[in-house]
């Protein structure tokens, strides 16, 4: 079984739920790409999660509703895995008032207080000090909430990364720092940008637990590693670990050379390590009667995303009053 390296599998219902989330994310992201091409989603930037679904789904399954999640600008998939409704999410893509951020944030600034999902930040690494701050508040208030912070490999070389991780170690903050290493920071390969390309080893410099490198295309392996990391963070302090994954689209939709420049490598990852295909094969091997259920989930994802697009397009645009809404306390 080409998944989890022999680790015990969750039950069938759990695997099917993870499959549901992953196909929903893929359908949502690929639809966003099409809508952008049709100029129904506008703007300069749109960063898609296609190919990385197993990281978000496996990781978020390891935390509880009372815990917190925060990420950078490749955030749609993480939001969906956290349980944010696709309708308001798509409305935010289109800048509508019914969007999760009132149409003011767009693709890179998603948040949902209801889900303890705090974004969605456009500044590279800018969310890392905020993750430390959320963890500090929980610790100060005497709660054992954990903060799961997704970190791009490209942000692991900037100052925010050093400052936030160092402080989390000094104060033993309950943070799981999860690096999503998709090999390319914008267009530069990790080995050309980092003196130590095994990014999880940076944990040693900060005196925190090294959670190692995991297969980010294997949702079961991600979940197993995150279960352990979350338990450690909740009682002992921060953990840094690295998920090796791969994105199927360019850094953003404006990157027109990614599919051409990396054509062979990209096709190899899709053919041999696609996270949805691997989970599907695992399900069929462990539970041979699962194919009809999987097909139904795939159709449900298509229907759900179509409904989300309809909701977004029928939603009202912000008006002049929205310019100052939420700026001043009433």
């Amino acid at each position: 079984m080409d998944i989890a390296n022999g680790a015990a599998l969750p039950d069938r219902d759990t695997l099917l739920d993870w499959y549901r989330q992953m196909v929903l994310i893929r359908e949502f992201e690929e639809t966003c790409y099409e809508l952008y091409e049709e100029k129904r989603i506008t703007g300069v930037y749109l960063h898609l999660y296609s190919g990385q679904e197993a990281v978000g789904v496996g990781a978020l399954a390891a935390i509880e509703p009372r815990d917190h999640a925060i990420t950078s600008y490749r955030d749609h998939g993480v939001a969906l895995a956290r349980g944010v409704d696709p309708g308001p999410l798509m409305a935010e893509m289109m800048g509508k008032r019914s969007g999760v951020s009132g149409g003011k944030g767009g693709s890179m600034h998603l948040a949902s207080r209801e889900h303890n999902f705090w974004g969605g930040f456009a500044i590279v690494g800018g969310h890392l000090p905020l993750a430390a701050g959320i963890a500090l508040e929980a610790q100060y208030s005497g709660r054992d909430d954990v903060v799961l912070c997704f970190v791009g490999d490209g942000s692991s070389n900037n100052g925010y990364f050093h400052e936030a991780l160092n402080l989390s170690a000094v104060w033993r903050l309950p943070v799981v720092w999860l690096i999503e290493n998709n090999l390319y920071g914008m267009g530069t390969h990790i080995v050309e940008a980092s003196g130590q390309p095994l990014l999880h080893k940076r944990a040693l410099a900060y005196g925190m637990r090294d959670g190692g490198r995991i297969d980010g295309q294997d949702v079961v392996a991600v979940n197993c590693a995150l279960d352990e990391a979350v338990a450690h963070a909740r009682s002992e302090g921060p953990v840094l670990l690295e998920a090796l994954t791969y994105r199927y689209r360019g850094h953003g939709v404006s990157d027109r050379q990614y599919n051409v420049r990396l054509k062979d490598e990209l096709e190899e990852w899709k053919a041999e390590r696609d996270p949805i295909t691997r989970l599907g094969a695992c399900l069929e091997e462990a539970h041979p009667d699962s194919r009809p259920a999987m097909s139904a989930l795939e159709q449900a994802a298509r229907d759900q995303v179509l409904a989300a697009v309809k909701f977004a397009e029928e939603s009202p645009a912000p008006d002049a009053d929205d310019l100052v809404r939420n700026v001043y306390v009433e």
Side-chain angles (χ1 to χ4, degrees):
M1 188 175 296
D2 182 30
I3 200 164
N5 295 320
L9 290 176
D11 60 37
R12 179 177 182 270
D13 288 345
T14 298
L15 292 173
L16 281 172
D17 186 55
W18 290 351
Y19 190 82
R20 175 192 64 80
Q21 294 180 57
M22 290 166 68
V23 296
L24 175 61
I25 293 170
R26 180 72 60 85
E27 186 68 24
F28 187 94
E29 295 294 69
E30 292 306 299
T31 298
C32 282
Y33 182 83
E34 293 171 5
L35 293 171
Y36 185 88
E37 291 288 288
E38 296 167 4
K39 295 183 170 49
R40 292 157 73 188
I41 291 177
T42 58
V44 178
Y45 296 109
L46 187 68
H47 305 86
L48 303 176
Y49 207 62
S50 297
Q52 299 184 205
E53 296 90 351
V55 182
V57 171
L60 287 162
I63 64 173
E64 300 178 14
R66 64 190 171 97
D67 295 324
H68 305 267
I70 190 168
T71 187
S72 58
Y73 43 72
R74 201 175 304 281
D75 52 359
H76 321 154
V78 177
L80 288 167
R82 189 59 172 157
V84 178
D85 189 297
L89 203 61
M90 188 63 79
E92 191 63 35
M93 298 293 110
M94 295 188 180
K96 298 300 185 70
R97 185 191 293 169
S98 58
V100 291
S101 300
K104 296 182 177 182
S107 170
M108 294 193 288
H109 299 94
L110 305 173
S112 175
R113 185 171 187 173
E114 174 190 355
H115 298 88
N116 281 342
F117 172 64
W118 304 113
F121 286 86
I123 297 174
V124 176
H127 66 299
L128 304 182
L130 300 178
I134 295 168
L136 176 62
E137 187 278 329
Q139 183 189 73
Y140 186 81
S141 300
R143 302 192 312 274
D144 66 347
D145 303 353
V146 167
V147 177
L148 172 58
C149 181
F150 294 86
V151 184
D153 58 279
S155 67
S156 66
N157 288 321
N158 73 11
Y160 296 125
F161 182 88
H162 168 79
E163 293 162 2
L165 269 72
N166 183 64
L167 198 63
S168 73
V170 170
W171 289 342
R172 295 181 61 192
L173 299 178
V175 187
V176 175
W177 305 104
L178 176 57
I179 298 175
E180 295 185 279
N181 183 359
N182 59 26
L183 301 184
Y184 295 93
M186 295 195 75
T188 304
H189 197 284
I190 188 67
V191 299
E192 298 172 347
S194 297
Q196 174 49 276
L198 298 174
L199 302 179
H200 63 91
K201 290 189 174 183
R202 299 184 183 202
L204 302 176
Y206 305 112
M208 68 177 65
R209 180 164 181 169
D210 178 359
R213 174 181 275 187
I214 55 178
D215 183 355
Q217 306 304 85
D218 179 342
V219 66
V220 177
V222 172
N223 183 252
C224 287
L226 266 293
D227 275 342
E228 183 178 340
V230 168
H232 179 89
R234 204 179 298 281
S235 60
E236 301 294 334
V239 182
L240 173 66
L241 65 165
E242 173 188 3
L244 191 64
T245 184
Y246 203 86
R247 53 178 160 84
Y248 289 173
R249 298 287 183 181
H251 172 75
V253 289
S254 57
D255 182 351
R256 301 294 183 178
Q257 292 299 311
Y258 184 78
N259 293 2
V260 176
R261 184 165 56 90
L262 301 172
K263 182 178 183 298
D264 293 341
E265 182 180 271
L266 177 60
E267 292 306 316
E268 182 180 349
W269 276 80
K270 285 183 175 181
E272 298 182 8
R273 304 186 67 180
D274 181 80
I276 297 175
T277 301
R278 291 177 72 185
L279 178 56
C282 171
L283 263 162
E284 290 191 276
E285 183 175 338
H287 306 282
D289 61 340
S290 295
R291 173 41 62 185
M294 291 160 57
S295 297
L297 291 173
E298 292 162 7
Q299 184 59 51
R302 289 190 286 270
D303 293 343
Q304 198 172 0
V305 173
L306 284 173
V309 173
K310 184 174 187 293
F311 171 82
E313 293 193 318
E314 293 177 352
S315 295
D319 59 23
D321 291 338
D322 291 310
L323 286 173
V324 293
R325 197 182 310 279
N326 306 124
V327 175
Y328 302 101
V329 175
E330 297 178 1

